[in-house]
Amino acid sequence: MKNILITGGLGFIGSNTCIYLLEKNFKIFIIDSFLNSSEDILKKIKYLNLQLNNTNKNNLIFFEGDIRDKDTLRNVFKYALKVDAPIDIVIHLAGLKSVSESERNKMLYWDINYKGSKNLIEIMEENNCFSLIFSSSATIYGVNNTILCEDSIIKPINNYGKTKLAVEKLLEEKYISNPKLWNIINLRYFNPIGGHSSGLLGEDSYKNPNNLFPVLCMVANNDRKYLEIYGQDWETPDRTPIRDYIHIEDIAKGHLCAINYLSQRLSGFISINLGTGKGTSVLELIKIFEKVNNKKIDFIFSQRRNGDVAKYVTS
Ligand code: UFG
């Protein structure tokens, strides 16, 4: 299984996963709409790819397109066949991921995250491709103060989590309808942070980020005056929310593990948490960041953000 299609391959997780898989000699097809990415990221992946000791320099093929457009998806599969590299596995990362935006703009999230995924699954079927790694999220567990394992109660409280859960359900139905055919892993990411060791691929903050880590970096760079901590009244020891922050290069490696797992079996359906098992509160993260970077981070407390929960940590 050597030919991989990565939807949303220029995003934070996508770009880091692409370069990791290129290092491991996979042939990568990327489809990305530039909605939350840029040509610059593509250039950086190409640049890093050239630095690799890889003899096959035709190992990266890019298509600009939106997963809501079936014809674009069809063309990618068609092209892969034409160049004698039929797609073996799809890593489906394309989607929107901001909890707060998903509350403000609900239909957009259903359109891109759900409808886009449904399109992709249909085009995969048309092309006899049945192996899929889906980017799901810890958000689907909802309010749950226990340590989360894959069979913990699932009850998303924000729209983003609801769209991810709906796709998981759709995939489960697909699998049940033909258990000998589909080979599916839902990777439930916890909170990815950090960047590629080259310093070139991180979580881009040029489009008004909502996530904690890029905002923290902006404050450190004096691009924002202070960090707003959403809520000071959470049911946690220091009253700020706890998350399971996982380095982006470990997330990238997680995808290779998932590919190897899919390659070892003919079919199946499984969900796997991708985190570290260690929880860190917002205040703790600020302290660590200040110590490592020798930089003071100014912050204020504000209201809780819609759709947030106190704690997400995997077992
Ligand atoms: N936070 C702040 N101030 C900010 C940004 C965030 O206090 O400016 C807090 C949030 O309230 C939350 C924590 O920092 O308690 C982490 O927030 P993020 O926005 O970085 O991450 P979330 O946990 O809300 O969601 C993220 C991703 C989702 C993913 C989820 C999995 O956005 O895609 O982690 O746990 F699904």
Side-chain angles (χ1 to χ4, degrees):
M1 296 219 181
K2 278 287 179 190
N3 308 319
I4 315 280
L5 168 61
I6 306 192
T7 71
L10 300 186
F12 177 40
I13 295 179
S15 55
N16 279 280
T17 300
C18 283
I19 198 63
Y20 186 71
L21 295 181
L22 287 165
E23 264 172 56
K24 302 290 172 198
N25 288 314
F26 287 91
K27 190 177 182 89
I28 302 292
F29 297 83
I30 296 177
I31 175 167
D32 198 291
S33 67
F34 292 127
L35 187 64
N36 266 327
S37 61
S38 67
E39 294 245 26
D40 193 39
I41 312 232
L42 180 61
K43 278 188 199 145
K44 287 176 180 171
I45 298 175
K46 284 183 176 165
Y47 169 79
L48 289 170
N49 191 27
L50 282 175
Q51 317 298 309
L52 299 173
N53 265 346
N54 200 324
T55 45
N56 178 6
K57 293 299 169 198
N58 291 323
N59 55 356
L60 174 62
I61 297 154
F62 175 73
F63 296 82
E64 181 178 351
D66 194 308
I67 52 166
R68 287 171 293 177
D69 176 16
K70 277 190 168 180
D71 284 337
T72 305
L73 288 168
R74 251 183 215 112
N75 286 340
V76 178
F77 279 89
K78 216 189 263 172
Y79 182 85
L81 262 186
K82 199 171 118 194
V83 295
D84 209 16
I87 288 160
D88 299 307
I89 295 183
V90 177
I91 300 179
H92 176 32
L93 302 172
L96 297 177
K97 61 153 193 168
S98 159
V99 168
S100 47
E101 185 192 45
S102 81
E103 290 296 295
R104 291 193 305 272
N105 209 342
K106 294 196 172 176
M107 284 310 120
L108 182 68
Y109 272 69
W110 283 99
D111 199 34
I112 296 184
N113 291 6
Y114 184 77
K115 191 178 154 202
S117 302
K118 187 166 171 285
N119 280 349
L120 175 69
I121 292 159
E122 284 165 14
I123 301 300
M124 285 177 70
E125 269 180 318
E126 263 179 44
N127 288 278
N128 291 317
C129 176
F130 298 101
S131 294
L132 175 67
I133 297 166
F134 170 58
S135 65
S136 188
S137 165
T139 310
I140 67 169
Y141 293 111
V143 182
N144 199 326
N145 262 329
T146 58
I147 298 293
L148 299 165
C149 46
E150 287 77 1
D151 54 8
S152 292
I153 292 169
I154 288 178
K155 203 170 179 217
I157 61 155
N158 57 60
N159 195 48
Y160 165 65
K162 287 176 190 165
T163 62
K164 287 288 175 187
L165 178 59
V167 178
E168 279 201 13
K169 292 273 176 222
L170 177 68
L171 292 172
E172 191 174 13
E173 289 304 327
K174 274 283 156 204
Y175 171 71
I176 290 168
S177 69
N178 203 336
K180 290 205 175 127
L181 208 54
W182 283 93
N183 202 359
I184 296 169
I185 299 185
N186 298 312
L187 284 184
R188 295 178 181 159
Y189 307 126
F190 282 65
N191 289 52
I193 56 170
H196 187 256
S197 54
S198 65
L200 292 178
L201 302 172
E203 188 163 16
D204 254 308
S205 44
Y206 62 95
K207 271 185 187 167
N208 210 10
N210 290 303
N211 291 113
L212 180 58
F213 209 75
V215 174
L216 211 47
C217 293
M218 285 182 90
V219 177
N221 287 327
N222 299 321
D223 293 329
R224 277 196 197 180
K225 269 201 181 132
Y226 50 79
L227 173 79
E228 250 183 277
I229 301 181
Y230 300 131
Q232 195 180 5
D233 55 353
W234 293 94
E235 309 74 28
T236 61
D238 68 14
R239 317 296 282 169
T240 64
I242 293 175
R243 294 288 183 274
D244 183 331
Y245 296 98
I246 171 168
H247 196 275
I248 190 66
E249 290 186 316
D250 291 329
I251 292 266
K253 284 179 196 158
H255 289 91
L256 179 61
C257 297
I259 290 171
N260 289 338
Y261 188 73
L262 283 183
S263 308
Q264 281 160 20
R265 64 180 193 179
L266 291 176
S267 66
F269 178 87
I270 190 170
S271 299
I272 296 176
N273 285 350
L274 202 47
T276 63
K278 185 177 181 310
T280 307
S281 73
V282 176
L283 282 175
E284 284 170 339
L285 192 73
I286 294 173
K287 270 199 201 119
I288 296 167
F289 190 96
E290 286 183 330
K291 194 169 164 206
V292 170
N293 297 296
N294 196 20
K295 177 100 195 166
K296 176 102 186 62
I297 297 294
D298 291 324
F299 60 83
I300 58 161
F301 286 102
S302 65
Q303 295 299 309
R304 286 186 181 196
R305 188 172 64 170
N306 264 354
D308 263 354
V309 303
K311 185 173 171 185
Y312 281 131
V313 181
T314 189
S315 55

